[in-house]
Amino acid sequence: MKIAVVAETRSGERRVALVPGLVERLTGAGLDVAVEPGAGVSSGFADDEYRAAGAVVTPEALAGAGVVLSVQPFDARRVAELAPHAITVSFLPTGQELDHVRAVRDAGHTAFAMELVPRISRAQAMDALSSQAFVAGYRAALVAAERLPRFLPLSMTASGTIRPATVLVLGAGVAGLQAIATMRRLGAVVRAYDVRSAAAEEVRSLGAEFVHVELPALDGAGGYAREMTEERSRLQRELLAPHVADADVLITTAAVPGRPAPLLVTGPMVAAMRPGSVVVDLAAESGGNVEGAKPGEEVIVGDVLVWGGRDVPSQLPAQASQLYSANVVNLLSLLMRSDGELSPDFDDEIIAACCVAHAGEVRHAPTRALLGEELS
């Protein structure tokens, strides 16, 4: 079977779905790998590296391919170029990609969405949301450090002592924990808050202080937080306001796939921060944790700089691609039959969970609801 790796075409997307170092895992399993020219260039991987790894680099990569790999869903118009009953693997935010879903469904192809891989132990090696959040959390810390007009660590000199900067991280999932760890390495005093009960121990294990507020935890399924009521959200903002005002850097990471990001910080809360403070909102693309944050832009609120994240893992494309590729290859390994062919086994909970469409049917219930189809 032929595996095709397509070049990403969306603005700002610099990742690639398969790095040269993982080509051999596929060819060693008896699969052919074809890569579109230049697919890895933005990530730092030249065409010659793919050739040396055993892949064929050709503009006709899609022709006859049984499986197509990408980071973002490719243009719905290209679905017509796919071989019959092809399998696509990519991130696929179905709420924003209904045309793509319809095209795949109507053509009888199978589409897997990497963000739908369930958060269970057996699926950790395929969890692309976590791997990319890991990259985004690191990048968030670097963005804040670059833009903060002061030292992060404690500095004791003959001319006097410079106190360390104070960092507040809201959301202690994978991205938040990586931001905490990076800021701690840079010498800042770090505090963090999360609505999940397990987060306190994880935050303290990194040497940061957990911020306690007098509100019950909101633990949800799959390691995510439960959606909160507007009243709970208002109370939480009131209790967090003094901690936000005391921070030199605020990093927010709270996001749940398929839902708008919760509003954690209002404009007046940002304006109450010290002049020169920096806010990094990693959830800006999904509505934002911080009022006024705009994805891909820097705005000034009062005397505070607010940086809105947009496709943040792509800002560190080599490592982000390396991690994403491993997630994809591990999923392909799960799809592989003993005879070397790739075929979904829907009795497997991982495959069933992350399949959006198969054999002319939309299998993902929330997407079927968006399309107005009757749920079985």
Side-chain angles (χ1 to χ4, degrees):
M1 179 175 284
K2 177 180 175 182
I3 308 290
V5 181
V6 298
E8 302 294 326
T9 59
R10 302 207 176 189
S11 176
E13 183 53 74
R14 299 170 61 197
R15 292 170 290 181
V16 65
L18 184 69
V19 299
L22 288 174
V23 168
E24 189 175 356
R25 278 191 58 185
L26 298 179
T27 57
L31 302 170
D32 298 321
V33 178
V35 181
E36 288 188 339
V41 169
S42 295
S43 302
F45 304 110
D47 288 347
D48 284 345
E49 293 182 69
Y50 285 100
R51 294 188 183 99
V56 174
V57 178
T58 171
E60 305 300 322
L62 273 185
V67 179
V68 181
L69 309 181
S70 62
V71 180
Q72 302 292 343
F74 51 85
D75 193 304
R77 290 171 294 184
R78 297 199 72 186
V79 173
E81 302 176 37
L82 300 181
H85 312 299
I87 295 172
T88 67
V89 180
S90 69
F91 282 118
L92 183 53
T94 57
Q96 292 78 50
E97 298 290 342
L98 291 179
D99 286 344
H100 184 96
V101 174
R102 290 188 188 97
V104 169
R105 176 202 62 193
D106 294 345
H109 301 309
T110 300
F112 288 97
M114 293 301 293
E115 64 266 59
L116 296 180
V117 170
R119 283 193 160 175
I120 58 176
S121 296
R122 194 167 65 88
Q124 284 182 347
M126 309 164 210
D127 187 353
L129 278 183
S130 290
S131 74
Q132 301 308 288
F134 175 83
V135 177
Y138 177 77
R139 177 62 179 155
L142 297 186
V143 167
E146 290 169 353
R147 286 158 177 75
L148 185 68
R150 55 158 300 160
F151 281 24
L152 283 171
L154 170 69
S155 299
M156 302 177 70
T157 75
S159 302
T161 299
I162 299 174
R163 71 171 181 84
T166 299
V167 176
L168 176 64
V169 178
L170 299 182
V174 175
L177 292 173
Q178 177 65 357
I180 291 167
T182 304
M183 279 299 191
R184 286 284 297 147
R185 293 188 199 106
L186 293 173
V189 172
V190 184
R191 303 185 179 100
Y193 172 73
D194 195 286
V195 298
R196 296 168 300 120
S197 57
E201 183 177 349
E202 295 172 331
V203 166
R204 287 192 287 264
S205 73
L206 295 173
E209 175 188 345
F210 188 78
V211 174
H212 288 280
V213 298
E214 297 302 319
L215 291 171
L218 290 176
D219 296 290
Y224 294 106
R226 286 189 288 114
E227 195 167 4
M228 69 179 74
T229 65
E230 181 52 42
E231 177 61 16
R232 156 72 190 236
S233 182
R234 183 188 63 78
L235 289 172
Q236 180 175 282
R237 289 193 292 266
E238 289 180 3
L239 293 169
L240 288 174
H243 300 283
V244 171
D246 189 48
D248 299 299
V249 170
L250 171 65
I251 297 174
T252 65
T253 71
V256 179
R259 296 212 303 263
L263 179 64
L264 305 180
V265 179
T266 64
M269 291 169 70
V270 173
M273 297 175 74
R274 286 184 286 271
S277 297
V278 173
V279 175
V280 173
D281 186 354
L282 285 183
E285 283 184 291
S286 57
N289 297 145
V290 179
E291 187 177 21
K294 298 180 179 180
E297 297 185 28
E298 296 181 6
V299 299
I300 302 297
V301 178
D303 294 312
V304 178
L305 184 149
V306 178
W307 185 90
R310 181 180 181 185
D311 203 4
V312 178
S314 278
Q315 296 173 22
L316 296 170
Q319 285 74 35
S321 297
Q322 178 183 344
L323 296 172
Y324 177 78
S325 297
N327 300 142
V328 168
V329 170
N330 288 326
L331 179 62
L332 293 181
S333 296
L334 187 65
L335 292 170
M336 188 173 294
R337 301 192 313 232
S338 59
D339 61 1
E341 289 297 306
L342 294 176
S343 178
D345 174 9
F346 293 110
D347 289 331
D348 186 293
E349 63 180 322
I350 298 172
I351 293 173
C354 64
C355 183
V356 173
H358 174 70
E361 178 186 14
V362 175
R363 296 180 58 93
H364 184 237
T367 304
R368 292 183 67 168
L370 289 173
L371 290 170
E373 297 182 5
E374 183 179 351
L375 300 179
S376 60

